[in-house]
Amino acid sequence: MANNKILFILGAGPNVATATAKLFAAQGYQVALVSRGTSTSFDPSYFYIQGDLSNPEKIPEWFAQVKKKYGRSPNVVIHNAYHVFPAHPQNPLSLNLGQLNYDLAVNFTSAYLAAQEAVKGFETLPADVPKSFIYTANGLNMMPMPRLVSLGLGKTALGHVIENATLSFQGKGYTFYYGDERLANGDFASGAISGMAHAERYWELSQDPKQRPWMDTFVAGQGYKEFPKV
Ligand SMILES: NC(=O)c1ccc[n+]([C@@H]2O[C@H](COP(=O)([O-])OP(=O)(O)OC[C@H]3O[C@@H](n4cnc5c(N)ncnc54)[C@H](OP(=O)(O)O)[C@@H]3O)[C@@H](O)[C@H]2O)c1
C-alpha cells in the first residue's frame, strides 16, 4: 500500500479522472482534483479545488494548497482537461485570437505550468517515491484534423515539452508521458475512450521509475502499441 502518496488531477471529470482517482485511492493514495465543477461530484474524501484552467496563473497556488492539505507535494500529476473551438473544416486558420488563446491556455499553457510545478514538487520528495507527470492526449499529433486545429496544437506542443523533459531529467527518476488511447487498428479512441483503461495504464506507468517511450499510445486491454504516422 502507498504511504502518503498523492495523486493530483487537473481537469477532473466523470470519465478518466473519476476512474483514475478511484484506482489510486484503492492503492492508498490521497487524491486532489481541480475542475470548474460544472457537473461531476467526487468522493468527499478527495481534496477538491474548484478552479478554471483557462486561468493558468492559479496553478502554483493550487499546488501549494495540495501540499498544505497533505503535507507533501503530489508525486503523480495528471493533466486531463481539454477544450476546442472548432475551426472551419476547410480552414484551420479561421479561429479568432480569443478562441486561439483560450484553447492554448486550457490545452497547453496550463499543462506546461502543471508539469513545472510537478517537477518542483518531485525535487522535494524522497527517492523511493514514484514521480510521474502524465498528460491525457490523443492522436492529433500524428493524424491532423483541420477542424480540431487548436486541440491538436495544444496536444502536439505539450508532447514536445514532454519529450524534452524526458531528455533533461534523465536519471532523476521522474517520468513524463503523453497518454494516447487508440483503437486496436490505430484510429482515435474518440467517443470510445475508456476511463478504466486510462486508470490502469496510468497506474502502471506512474509506478515504474524507468522512463518508457514518452508517447504512450495504448489500446484498452492490450497496453502499449506503436502506430506509424499516417
Ligand atoms: N484518445 C482519444 O481519442 C481521446 C478521446 C476523447 C478525449 N481524449 C482526451 O481525454 C481527456 C478528457 O477525457 P475525459 O473522457 O476524461 O473527459 P471528462 O470526463 O469530461 O473530463 C474532463 C474534465 O475536464 C474539466 N475541465 C474542462 N475544462 C476545464 C477548465 N477550463 N478548467 C478546469 N477543468 C476543466 C471538465 O470538468 P468541469 O466542466 O467541471 O470543469 C471535464 O469534466 C482530454 O485530455 C481529451 O483530449 C482523448
Side-chain angles (χ1 to χ4, degrees), residues 11 13-16 36-38 51-53 80 82 136-137 155 181 189-190:
N15 193 27
V16 171
R36 295 163 303 178
T38 60
D52 189 336
L53 290 159
N80 188 64
Y82 71 106
T136 308
K155 300 294 189 199
E181 185 186 354
S190 300

Side-chain angles (χ1 to χ4, degrees), residues 89-204:
Q90 265 79 52
N91 184 5
L93 302 177
S94 58
L95 296 176
N96 65 41
L97 182 60
Q99 292 170 323
L100 187 63
N101 280 338
Y102 187 92
D103 283 357
L104 271 175
V106 176
N107 301 325
F108 174 72
T109 315
S110 67
Y112 183 96
L113 292 179
Q116 188 176 72
E117 290 300 313
V119 167
K120 283 188 203 165
F122 295 166
E123 286 163 356
T124 69
L125 295 173
D128 62 341
V129 174
K131 302 169 187 75
S132 193
F133 175 83
I134 305 177
Y135 176 67
T136 308
N138 58 31
L140 284 171
N141 63 330
M142 292 174 77
M143 302 180 284
M145 293 176 69
R147 206 172 64 85
L148 304 182
V149 65
S150 60
L151 183 61
L153 177 61
K155 300 294 189 199
T156 306
L158 210 279
H160 181 67
V161 172
I162 286 178
E163 184 174 18
N164 277 281
T166 63
L167 299 175
S168 296
F169 296 109
Q170 234 170 18
K172 289 209 165 238
Y174 312 162
T175 61
F176 301 86
Y177 290 104
Y178 179 99
D180 172 14
E181 185 186 354
R182 300 282 189 95
L183 301 181
N185 65 3
D187 281 351
F188 293 96
S190 300
I193 178 179
S194 162
M196 186 47 71
H198 279 76
E200 288 169 352
R201 189 73 194 146
Y202 289 179
W203 175 257
E204 184 181 331

